[in-house]
Amino acid sequence: MHTARTLLLTSTALLAFSTGCIGSGVALRPDGSPSPQECPEESKKAMRYMGLRVGDSVLVDLDANQTESRRVTFYDGPIESVTREEFGPFAATSRLYGQVWTSGPQVVIRYYEAQSPTGEKVPLCAVARLGYDQMRKLPESKPGTAILEGSVAAAFIVDAFR
């Protein structure tokens, strides 16, 4: 059973990666933030198999290289976040991989893959969220960057990026 599950998740991850769903080619809105994007069917299947449902969430250190920081600077491009607690089949300290956009009024982070400390990468669809405008860039953010207060947010499972 364990071997079949690993094979299914690995092949699903390879299919998702080969179809280019890792954040590349996302159309941008006039303010530079990403346009809506569908969650690939392969990711939806993997999330169902792992028991992750829309709305499930986990606390994450937004940037694995800036944990416990009072202020975090983001750049457009790839990101690696770290879970602070168990999340479905993922242990604490699992990794979420995705893409950051800093051009709009707030930072947008979309996650496309997850990896447990001892496992393979698997596809998923999740977004980083904070209430009270806390994903809004600080005024001193320069073009191509975004500075936020704090380094922790919640990552929420989604079925589409809006």
Side-chain angles (χ1 to χ4, degrees):
M1 176 68 175
H2 179 68
T3 303
R5 178 177 180 218
T6 301
L7 181 61
L8 173 68
L9 293 175
T10 301
S11 62
T12 303
L14 289 172
L15 179 61
F17 183 77
S18 68
T19 58
C21 69
I22 311 299
S24 60
V26 175
L28 299 179
R29 294 180 169 124
D31 69 359
S33 62
S35 292
Q37 178 186 20
E38 288 300 313
C39 181
E41 194 56 42
E42 294 82 13
S43 298
K44 290 178 184 179
K45 286 179 188 176
M47 291 186 302
R48 280 192 300 270
Y49 185 78
M50 293 183 289
L52 296 173
R53 295 178 308 275
V54 171
D56 287 351
S57 65
V58 63
L59 285 178
V60 297
D61 286 303
L62 288 169
D63 186 336
N65 296 312
Q66 300 182 71
T67 60
E68 303 296 327
S69 297
R70 190 176 63 79
R71 285 189 169 196
V72 181
T73 301
F74 295 97
Y75 301 92
D76 291 320
I79 190 164
E80 176 184 354
S81 298
V82 181
T83 63
R84 289 184 151 219
E85 55 201 11
E86 290 185 10
F87 184 49
F90 299 103
T93 74
S94 292
R95 302 304 202 230
L96 298 180
Y97 298 98
Q99 185 77 22
V100 178
W101 288 268
T102 64
S103 297
Q106 62 184 19
V107 176
V108 175
I109 301 174
R110 293 179 178 176
Y111 297 109
Y112 299 98
E113 294 179 312
Q115 183 178 25
S116 69
T118 59
E120 300 291 324
K121 287 183 181 177
V122 294
L124 58 68
C125 294
V127 296
R129 290 187 179 142
L130 277 171
Y132 306 107
D133 275 341
Q134 292 180 31
M135 294 294 281
R136 187 165 296 279
K137 300 183 319 187
L138 293 176
E140 58 267 30
S141 301
K142 292 180 172 52
T145 67
I147 301 171
L148 295 182
E149 290 285 348
S151 61
V152 177
F156 284 84
I157 294 294
V158 296
D159 59 1
F161 300 103
R162 294 175 175 85

